[in-house]
Amino acid sequence: MSDHPRVITVGITGASGAIYAVRTVAALLERGCSVELVASDLGRRLLREELGSEATVDRLADYVATRYGNGVRKGRLTVHSNKDVGASIASGSYACDGMIIVPCSMKTLSGVAHGSARNLIERAADVMLKECRKLIVVPRETPMSLPQLRNLVQCAEAGAMILPAMPAFYQKPLTIDDLSDFIAGKILSALRIEHALYPAWTG
Ligand SMILES: Cc1cc2nc3c(=O)[nH]c(=O)nc-3n(C[C@H](O)[C@H](O)[C@H](O)COP(=O)(O)O)c2cc1C
């Protein structure tokens, strides 16, 4: 796994689970990735509501450094406006290796499933699908309606990986950080990026 992806887009939307987003961003930066970050308005709101007033998108590099340590400085973080559908990551010619939408709201899921491209997150996801690059969707909703389930299937049929925000318990988590480490670890594994975010199951 040494030749791992270097440029990864992270979309943060207004589903609960902002901690999954910041842990994923921190883990990618710790591995030296360039992270292209874009958050929806509700994504920004949930970051603040769930993690506190310091967790703003525009100062996320400092937030993750304080929370997870200076190892995150190995990577590079670029923040885009969700309104800027002319940003680099809106084009297939930009060398982006993959994209994660974490957490993914049911609204954005619908937009991705239908190729709506109403904002930068949806457009960048559309680009990943049309270019046959890795798109990882991390939905967080329960219970789910039939339209929501159909949108998940439609995204999977289009080539996205559906990686639900469903932490496991066999690794005996004690803290919320243990739970978020597990989901971030699953995401990095899906991108074939080495990590030690949770112990490997050895049988
Ligand atoms: C406190 C709060 C929690 C929410 N949690 C979820 C959630 O877990 N999953 C979800 O799909 N939507 C959730 N929503 C609703 C979305 O934020 C809403 O549908 C929004 O329009 C999504 O927009 P976005 O996809 O552009 O971020 C929540 C909203 C609020 C205010």
Side-chain angles (χ1 to χ4, degrees):
M1 285 204 240
S2 55
D3 251 357
H4 66 68
R6 306 300 299 182
V7 182
I8 303 291
T9 295
V10 177
I12 303 177
T13 70
S16 187
I19 184 79
Y20 296 132
V22 298
R23 188 62 188 104
T24 301
V25 168
L28 291 170
L29 294 172
E30 284 163 357
R31 302 299 301 167
C33 293
S34 287
V35 175
E36 308 279 349
L37 185 73
V38 51
S40 68
D41 289 347
L42 264 291
R44 287 172 181 260
R45 174 172 159 184
L46 266 82
L47 275 170
R48 289 193 308 274
E49 286 195 9
E50 296 188 345
L51 300 175
S53 57
E54 325 81 67
T56 63
V57 169
D58 302 313
R59 275 178 292 153
L60 207 67
D62 292 334
Y63 179 83
V64 292
T66 303
R67 182 164 187 144
Y68 300 108
N70 277 324
V72 301
R73 306 280 185 202
K74 287 184 208 144
R76 191 171 62 91
L77 184 67
T78 306
V79 177
H80 302 276
S81 162
N82 200 25
K83 294 187 181 72
D84 184 9
V85 288
S88 55
I89 55 174
S91 171
S93 65
Y94 185 65
C96 179
D97 298 299
M99 176 174 182
I100 311 148
I101 307 179
V102 57
C104 184
S105 75
M106 296 299 99
K107 178 190 155 202
T108 293
L109 173 73
S110 170
V112 176
H114 293 88
S116 307
R118 293 169 295 188
N119 52 50
L120 184 58
I121 294 175
E122 290 181 4
R123 169 63 189 168
D126 216 21
V127 167
M128 290 296 109
L129 294 179
K130 83 181 177 72
E131 300 290 333
C132 299
R133 296 187 205 149
K134 193 100 186 174
L135 172 64
I136 301 172
V137 173
V138 185
R140 213 285 349 151
E141 185 56 287
T142 192
M144 285 192 187
S145 67
L146 188 57
Q148 292 166 345
L149 291 166
R150 288 202 168 119
N151 286 336
L152 287 173
V153 170
Q154 201 151 310
C155 284
E157 285 173 344
M161 173 185 274
I162 308 299
L163 197 156
M166 288 181 186
F169 292 86
Y170 57 76
Q171 79 283 21
K172 300 191 172 51
L174 297 175
T175 65
I176 289 174
D177 282 328
D178 292 339
L179 298 175
S180 58
D181 282 0
F182 182 82
I183 295 300
K186 282 284 177 187
I187 292 169
L188 264 65
S189 293
L191 291 167
R192 304 190 59 73
I193 299 175
E194 283 175 9
H195 65 85
L197 287 161
Y198 57 82
W201 178 254
T202 53

